[in-house]
Amino acid sequence: MGRMDDKVALITGAGNGIGREMALAFAAEGASIVVADASEDGGRATADAVAEAGGVAGFARVDVSSAAQVEAMVGFAMATFGRLDCIVNNAGIFPGDDGGVTETPEATWDRVMEVNLKGVWLGCKYAVPALLESGGGTIVNVASFVALMGAATPQIAYTASKGGVLSMTREIAVEHARAGIRANALCPGPVETPLLAELMSDPARKARRLVHIPLGRLGRPEELAKAALFLASDDSSFMTGSALVVDGGITAAYTTPE
Ligand code: NAD
């Protein structure tokens, strides 16, 4: 008996990092997975990995900032599996030139908002009717701990986009609570994925980040996948509109251990 038996879960950005681990974890609990990603290679690799582990997965290529493509992605899920029980809006970007408020290029701000904020809205916009048609379901929107804390190593557009994800998730949760849809946000701390690898390749920058993490290390993608599984499944049946923080203690700390 799996926690996601007979469920269909669509995960955006599942072609790499945290999303790939979510796909594997959800499939191991019995869900059929729609792996949605802009990268054909990454998405197909995840779908293959799910199948190799004995699970069921289909791949949908999508740019989550395109309404037409997101609508087609949800259509693919319904056409392939006949229902939709869960969407995880996980796709996100973290461009290198997203920095302080005065330096960040306008084009970078716009693209980050299109993918990280509009992309989550579009995922919800097209998934909600499919979830309702399937008798209700769950939405997990991936934000970040930076939606809750300020950083002296700023990524102004990224941070603003993740704050938007949190407030949007609350409103979607309240609007659809009585219709059987629960929506929660996941706020990861720094996690060892390709997204963070470039930033952490500089030892000084890595040390600067690690010093703020009470547990003294980065998170692992599978640790976030477990938290997403909790929010996606009936294990979190009395939670909606919440932000689940999985950050190694960052947001709890004023100072950290030596
Ligand atoms: P990642 O870069 O490893 O993977 C992201 C995936 O999203 C990639 O497969 C990429 O192809 C896909 N993607 C990018 N733009 C897309 C688009 N427009 N449409 C569809 N797919 C697209 O990233 P990750 O670290 O696994 O991050 C996943 C989520 O977790 C993101 O929302 C990120 O902001 C959030 N997060 C990550 C960290 C971290 O430290 N890694 C911390 C907090 C929050």
Side-chain angles (χ1 to χ4, degrees):
M1 268 280 291
R3 286 187 282 168
M4 298 289 280
D5 278 344
D6 304 322
K7 305 281 190 201
V8 176
L10 190 163
I11 304 170
T12 71
N16 212 333
I18 298 170
R20 176 171 290 171
E21 290 302 324
M22 289 175 181
L24 289 164
F26 284 37
E29 291 289 335
S32 300
I33 311 293
V34 177
V35 174
D37 205 288
S39 159
E40 176 114 26
D41 289 351
R44 293 212 180 274
T46 299
D48 289 349
V50 169
E52 274 163 31
V56 176
F59 169 65
R61 213 202 68 81
V62 68
D63 176 347
V64 295
S65 68
S66 156
Q69 291 184 34
V70 173
E71 186 174 19
M73 168 188 86
V74 173
F76 171 83
M78 295 300 275
T80 306
F81 296 114
R83 56 183 299 112
L84 185 67
D85 302 285
C86 172
I87 182 167
V88 184
N89 290 298
N90 164 74
I93 57 169
F94 196 78
D97 61 355
D98 181 11
V101 65
T102 57
E103 301 97 43
T104 300
E106 186 177 355
T108 300
W109 171 276
D110 287 345
R111 187 61 190 152
V112 169
M113 289 299 161
E114 277 182 12
V115 175
N116 292 10
L117 186 53
K118 184 180 174 187
V120 172
W121 169 59
L122 288 173
C124 295
K125 178 179 166 89
Y126 291 104
V128 162
L131 294 172
L132 291 173
E133 205 182 310
S134 309
T138 54
I139 296 172
V140 180
N141 292 333
V142 179
S144 167
F145 75 103
V146 301
L148 305 166
M149 306 277 284
T153 47
Q155 286 117 8
I156 194 73
Y158 182 85
T159 297
S161 73
K162 295 301 188 179
V165 169
L166 280 195
S167 44
M168 179 167 58
T169 303
R170 280 194 289 272
E171 197 136 288
I172 290 167
V174 175
E175 182 184 355
H176 297 288
R178 302 282 169 97
I181 295 177
R182 295 186 298 107
N184 291 288
L186 179 63
C187 294
V191 181
E192 277 181 76
T193 67
L195 190 146
L196 211 64
E198 203 188 315
L199 194 72
M200 294 298 193
S201 59
D202 172 359
R205 291 181 89 179
K206 183 169 182 176
R208 171 124 202 227
R209 303 265 163 167
L210 287 180
V211 77
H212 296 290
I213 309 175
L215 288 183
R217 63 168 176 86
L218 300 176
R220 292 187 287 271
E222 56 271 26
E223 293 175 311
L224 276 302
K226 284 180 189 165
L229 186 57
F230 169 70
L231 293 178
S233 70
D234 287 344
D235 283 0
S236 61
S237 53
F238 199 51
M239 279 177 77
T240 199
S242 290
L244 180 60
V245 180
V246 181
D247 70 347
I250 294 175
T251 53
Y254 173 50
T255 62
T256 47
E258 291 292 314

